[in-house]
Amino acid sequence: MPDINPQADARPPHIIGLKKPLGVVGGMGSLATAKFLQALAQKSGADTDQDHVPFITLSLPNISDQAHAISTGSNAPLGQILERAKWLETVGCGAIAIPCNTAHFWSSEIASALTIKFISIVEVTRDFIRQNNGTDIDNLRTIVLGMKPSIQRKLYGNLTAGWCVESIQRDAVGVIDEVKSGNIGRARFKMALLIARTRSFKPDAIILGCSELSLASRDIFKGSDVIDPVDILVDACISWFRET
């Protein structure tokens, strides 16, 4: 992929002087990005086209494998993510969102590199749990479903000892692989089995720690025990825009 070369005059003239749009770094994965954008439109509360949250999405999926990079100590994806985020900043976006949990392994570096707001999926999810449970996530019995490196690096804090069951995580990766391959029907079937198995351990909360799991779950797991960070990120992005 050629380098993104942001130029100050690349900003579309019709957004100058208006409320700045949301910038979305997508492609991790592409279907998960589409799910985020669909939810952004559906939950915006807009009555007309003009009332929707404006956004600019840069979905270039050829980012280095994040799980592999984290496992091997490589920061290769960080530079690629920053390249995209800085381009969105330069063309006039007022905040950046990344609908990918694993990318937030580098959240502090991303936030530090930007001069605009970075709406962190991890921070807004932690805030949501605190507000709705009256306590921090670290005080709850939680099971986080997602890619192994994200769980090992504790993006969502410390898990209660013994609650992260290896067989469940293997099943979660199987659902993720189905989504990435476009097998959505099969992914949803496996997701239903996965949630049922996870609930059998009676956790206080089940966190969908990968955006592909959010897509596979859709709206079929609306119990208060299943927490969807992508859905929470959508709400946070809408609130940011309405409040600016």
Side-chain angles (χ1 to χ4, degrees):
M1 181 194 76
D3 291 340
I4 300 170
N5 183 24
Q7 299 293 331
D9 59 1
R11 182 170 48 167
H14 56 280
I15 72 170
I16 298 175
L18 302 177
K19 292 176 71 172
K20 291 186 175 183
L22 175 70
V24 180
V25 179
M28 300 173 283
S30 295
L31 278 173
T33 302
K35 190 264 187 185
F36 170 82
L37 296 176
Q38 181 181 25
L40 187 67
Q42 290 176 330
K43 301 185 72 175
S44 67
D47 294 322
T48 67
D49 287 344
Q50 292 74 23
D51 293 333
H52 279 276
V53 177
F55 61 85
I56 299 175
T57 301
L58 188 58
S59 186
L60 301 176
N62 54 338
I63 292 176
S64 300
D65 185 279
Q66 298 169 84
H68 178 73
I70 294 170
S71 298
T72 59
S74 169
N75 280 331
L78 174 60
Q80 297 164 323
I81 292 168
L82 285 178
E83 184 181 35
R84 291 151 173 78
K86 293 295 288 183
W87 185 88
L88 289 165
E89 179 182 51
T90 300
V91 298
C93 293
I96 297 295
I98 305 176
C100 170
N101 291 269
T102 309
H104 286 71
F105 174 76
W106 297 280
S107 59
S108 60
E109 292 90 340
I110 295 169
S112 297
L114 298 171
T115 61
I116 57 177
K117 183 177 180 62
F118 175 50
I119 306 175
S120 164
I121 196 172
V122 174
E123 289 182 8
V124 298
T125 299
R126 280 180 162 271
D127 288 345
F128 175 87
I129 291 171
R130 189 179 302 112
Q131 292 168 10
N132 285 271
N133 291 276
T135 187
D136 190 77
I137 187 175
D138 293 327
N139 298 321
L140 299 175
R141 296 175 301 170
T142 58
I143 294 179
V144 181
L145 302 173
M147 300 298 291
K148 186 175 181 179
S150 299
I151 294 166
Q152 289 178 331
R153 300 306 174 99
K154 301 177 182 178
L155 283 182
Y156 289 101
N158 295 317
L159 299 176
T160 303
W163 286 78
C164 184
V165 182
E166 187 172 348
S167 63
I168 287 178
Q169 298 305 333
R170 285 199 299 268
D171 290 346
V173 172
V175 175
I176 293 167
D177 289 342
E178 295 287 10
V179 173
K180 288 185 179 295
S181 298
N183 302 317
I184 305 304
R186 194 154 49 200
R188 287 178 179 152
F189 174 77
K190 291 184 177 181
M191 189 70 185
L193 297 177
L194 173 61
I195 292 297
R197 285 193 62 207
T198 307
R199 279 176 168 157
S200 71
F201 289 90
K202 302 187 185 305
D204 295 321
I206 302 168
I207 300 176
L208 307 182
C210 180
S211 52
E212 275 77 20
L213 297 178
S214 300
L215 189 150
S217 69
R218 201 167 57 177
D219 296 325
I220 58 178
F221 307 115
K222 280 301 185 182
S224 59
D225 61 329
V226 179
I227 296 173
D228 183 352
V230 172
D231 202 49
I232 296 168
L233 178 63
V234 167
D235 290 338
C237 290
I238 293 171
S239 294
W240 163 78
F241 180 74
R242 301 298 181 209
E243 294 167 3
T244 55

